[in-house]
Amino acid sequence: MLVEDCWVEWAHCLREIRSQINPKSYEQWFARTEATFVNANTIRIVVADTICADWLRKHYQTMVEDIVFDTTQKKTAIEFMPYVEKTIKNDLSQDLFGSIISEDKLSPEIKKTPPKETNRRSNYTFDNFVVGDTNRMAFSSAYTIAGNNSQTTYNPLFIFGGPGLGKTHLLRAIENRVSFEHIEKRVMYVTAEEYMRRFIEAIQDRSTKAFKKLFREIDILLVDDVQFLLKGEQTQNEFFHTFNALHEKNCKVVLTCDRSPDKIEDIEERLRSRFKWGLVTSIEQPDLITRIAIINSKAESLNLDLEQDTVALIANHAASNVREIEGVLTSLTAHVAIHQNNIGTDTVNSVLRQRGRVTYGMRDISNIQLAVSESTGIPVALMVSRSRKQEVVHARYLAIYLAHTITKDTYATIGSQFGGRDHSTVLYAIQSISKRLKLDPILKKTVGSLLNQLDS
Ligand code: ADP
Ligand code: MG
């Protein structure tokens, strides 16, 4: 059977599977699977990750084998394999005796397997990564490495930052871009945990030779969460040699970590120093403007219709990381599906509260921004932007003045909610409005009515 036939057969089987299980399960476990040909009696189904593979083996193995039998009229063994393993198998093609078949001995079917859309970690691309001040450097260095630019001088690239800030997203984006634009390059994504697990398995199976060869023969190695490359001397030692082998050949290594190299405990000094050889860059919590951009982008891909005031409300409260923002948007999507109505600030407030984000009712800074936005016609996103347009500056100062007057927030907190402005800007805004209030009766009236409105 050719690879292409295998895809066609699998597409037929998927149709049958879809008719037999509920749509959610189908979407979760089968929608992004892909079949590859192994031999006349076996088909390998490539799935997103190890968890997915385990789940399918446990819950759907027999059902899938029956469906494949019904569809092809042939008894076929089904193997569920996570994506990485597939890459390894293709790269390695270990024969049963543990030796390694070189690339030109690969079966033509495997070699010719064209990249397919289903292989793509479609959720993680450079296109859907929103760039802002806090992640620009990490983004562009990752992007450059993915661009197959052998002139790139830094190696390794070490990206560090807290959870949910896009480190894995960037690694997967590199993997995607390389495997689709530079198919000749071998790129491998692996978590540090997976690397250790594989190494330990290799020791147990006495296949460390194959393990070493595999990891030293790739062009771009992406290792996620290296903080987990803990102790276990042997693993660190092996990683050290892998790193050296790749580095010597100018093969790129990209590492992510939840902290800077200096702060990783339990790591051998020689590894730490290598982590710092190239470019070390961090991803910080996204600032307000970036959060707004992220929310808009994610809402669009979720087909979620959000008014700018609700976007601002979410951006002001779901501020810790992007995963939190995604959580809020998922809850809102569920809300729309259940209640079939539009999303207003009430809904957002209740979702935020359910997620432990306290909103303070009308006296909250984001509500002040909304009220000023309604009164002046200047959108909140502009109010917190860098715009120096006179009317925008006026709205911004007015909102800062009100925030200072009716919340107990410090200048620093107020500044942070207005696009990361510093203490002196906040002070200047307050003084400027205070001065003008004495001279401008219309402004006085506006402030009075806003204070009334917000005092509920
Ligand atoms: P980390 O690996 O740093 O813990 P992830 O890469 O898993 O974080 O990101 C968590 C989620 O947030 C993912 O769904 C990712 O797509 C999304 N995300 C993070 N940063 C961005 C960004 N700048 N633009 C778009 N999505 C992002
Ligand atoms: Mg991650």
Side-chain angles (χ1 to χ4, degrees):
M1 195 193 317
L2 293 172
V3 178
E4 284 77 1
D5 295 337
C6 180
W7 293 342
V8 173
E9 298 285 16
W10 183 237
H12 288 310
C13 296
L14 282 177
R15 218 166 297 148
E16 188 53 35
I17 293 169
R18 193 205 287 263
S19 71
Q20 294 198 16
I21 64 178
N22 79 44
K24 251 198 176 151
S25 307
Y26 179 83
E27 180 56 31
Q28 182 161 10
W29 304 114
F30 288 97
R32 280 164 291 279
T33 55
E34 186 199 338
T36 52
F37 171 80
V38 175
N39 60 42
N41 305 317
T42 314
I43 290 178
R44 179 174 301 149
I45 308 299
V46 181
V47 302
D49 51 32
T50 325
I51 299 173
C52 196
D54 286 345
W55 183 272
L56 285 163
R57 278 178 211 129
K58 233 182 242 153
H59 300 270
Y60 292 107
Q61 184 88 37
T62 318
M63 182 195 90
V64 171
E65 281 177 354
D66 289 349
I67 289 177
V68 171
F69 179 74
D70 289 345
T71 313
T72 61
Q73 292 303 308
K74 229 179 96 211
K75 189 101 194 98
T76 311
I78 301 294
E79 288 178 12
F80 292 107
M81 285 286 175
Y83 178 73
V84 178
E85 281 182 23
K86 173 201 164 211
T87 317
I88 287 168
K89 290 274 153 58
N90 279 359
D91 284 346
L92 248 187
S93 295
Q94 316 130 305
D95 64 19
L96 291 172
F97 309 102
S99 60
I100 292 165
I101 301 171
S102 69
E103 168 101 358
D104 41 38
K105 285 194 212 147
L106 289 175
S107 79
E109 285 87 357
I110 290 177
K111 241 185 8 185
K112 275 193 265 147
T113 306
K116 287 210 14 247
E117 197 54 31
T118 42
N119 249 352
R120 201 181 259 257
R121 292 278 177 281
S122 53
N123 290 339
Y124 296 137
T125 63
F126 286 114
D127 291 343
N128 65 12
F129 189 86
V130 177
V131 184
D133 286 347
T134 54
N135 59 24
R136 182 165 288 112
M137 182 75 177
F139 174 88
S140 41
S141 21
Y143 190 80
T144 309
I145 285 198
N148 194 23
N149 182 357
S150 53
Q151 302 306 311
T152 320
T153 47
Y154 49 84
N155 195 21
L157 168 61
F158 188 100
I159 301 174
F160 72 94
L165 296 180
K167 301 182 296 296
T168 299
H169 188 132
L170 284 179
L171 287 193
R172 289 295 197 184
I174 297 176
E175 181 192 25
N176 269 329
R177 185 163 174 218
V178 174
S179 40
F180 283 83
E181 289 180 16
H182 310 287
I183 344 170
E184 74 289 355
K185 293 256 167 201
R186 300 193 204 193
V187 58
M188 187 189 290
Y189 166 94
V190 70
T191 63
E193 276 175 320
E194 173 92 1
Y195 179 89
M196 290 195 299
R197 188 179 62 73
R198 278 177 187 288
F199 182 58
I200 292 162
E201 276 172 14
I203 294 174
Q204 287 163 352
D205 301 351
R206 298 173 194 280
S207 57
T208 49
K209 214 171 140 197
F211 178 92
K212 286 176 206 279
K213 192 164 166 61
L214 166 66
F215 277 95
R216 292 172 197 184
E217 284 197 343
I218 41 190
D219 299 299
I220 303 182
L221 176 63
L222 312 165
V223 187
D224 209 357
D225 290 322
V226 291
Q227 73 271 14
F228 292 126
L229 209 58
L230 290 178
K231 294 177 192 151
E233 254 174 55
Q234 256 187 316
T235 327
Q236 282 199 10
N237 191 40
E238 177 53 33
F239 190 71
F240 176 77
H241 291 298
T242 299
F243 181 95
N244 286 345
L246 293 175
H247 198 271
E248 254 166 44
K249 291 190 291 174
N250 198 23
C251 297
K252 304 292 178 218
V253 179
V254 186
L255 309 159
T256 73
C257 189
D258 67 351
R259 60 201 89 168
S260 71
D262 288 328
K263 299 220 168 90
I264 315 176
E265 300 130 18
D266 299 326
I267 193 140
E268 282 182 44
E269 215 36 57
R270 56 185 187 159
L271 255 187
R272 188 199 311 283
S273 81
R274 269 158 184 77
F275 288 173
K276 294 194 285 187
W277 266 358
L279 179 69
V280 176
T281 182
S282 68
I283 305 191
E284 312 284 336
Q285 283 186 356
D287 53 27
L288 185 60
I289 309 241
T290 314
R291 295 201 297 277
I292 290 177
I294 289 173
I295 295 166
N296 281 327
S297 149
K298 304 245 172 228
E300 194 186 327
S301 63
L302 288 167
N303 264 334
L304 200 58
D305 201 6
L306 294 181
E307 299 287 339
Q308 278 313 300
D309 54 353
T310 41
V311 172
L313 189 60
I314 301 167
N316 268 317
H317 290 285
S320 64
N321 64 46
V322 184
R323 207 170 277 136
E324 186 184 9
I325 291 176
E326 288 182 336
V328 173
L329 295 181
T330 307
S331 303
L332 291 174
T333 313
H335 177 93
V336 173
I338 296 164
H339 301 289
Q340 305 280 315
N341 58 6
N342 290 339
I343 294 163
T345 45
D346 284 353
T347 315
V348 175
N349 271 320
S350 100
V351 165
L352 287 167
R353 269 193 288 269
Q354 279 162 21
R355 303 181 63 86
R357 289 280 162 194
V358 183
T359 56
Y360 305 104
M362 292 311 279
R363 286 166 174 269
D364 183 30
I365 293 183
S366 53
N367 280 322
I368 294 171
Q369 289 171 338
L370 294 178
V372 172
S373 169
E374 257 169 41
S375 155
T376 59
I378 302 292
V380 177
L382 216 50
M383 211 183 289
V384 302
S385 73
R386 296 274 134 203
S387 168
R388 300 293 313 155
K389 270 195 178 160
Q390 203 182 350
E391 62 273 24
V392 177
V393 173
H394 170 71
R396 182 181 305 139
Y397 284 8
L398 184 55
I400 291 178
Y401 173 86
L402 291 166
H404 170 67
T405 313
I406 59 183
T407 70
K408 293 189 176 61
D409 291 331
T410 61
Y411 291 157
T413 306
I414 296 175
S416 73
Q417 302 238 31
F418 282 85
R421 292 186 153 77
D422 62 14
H423 173 274
S424 58
T425 313
V426 173
L427 191 61
Y428 183 79
I430 297 164
Q431 286 169 348
S432 149
I433 296 289
S434 306
K435 254 190 234 158
R436 282 176 43 205
L437 276 176
K438 292 184 189 135
L439 311 167
D440 184 345
I442 300 177
L443 178 63
K444 203 169 166 189
K445 211 168 148 200
T446 310
V447 169
S449 78
L450 281 166
L451 283 173
N452 275 341
Q453 184 186 332
L454 291 162
D455 194 26
S456 50

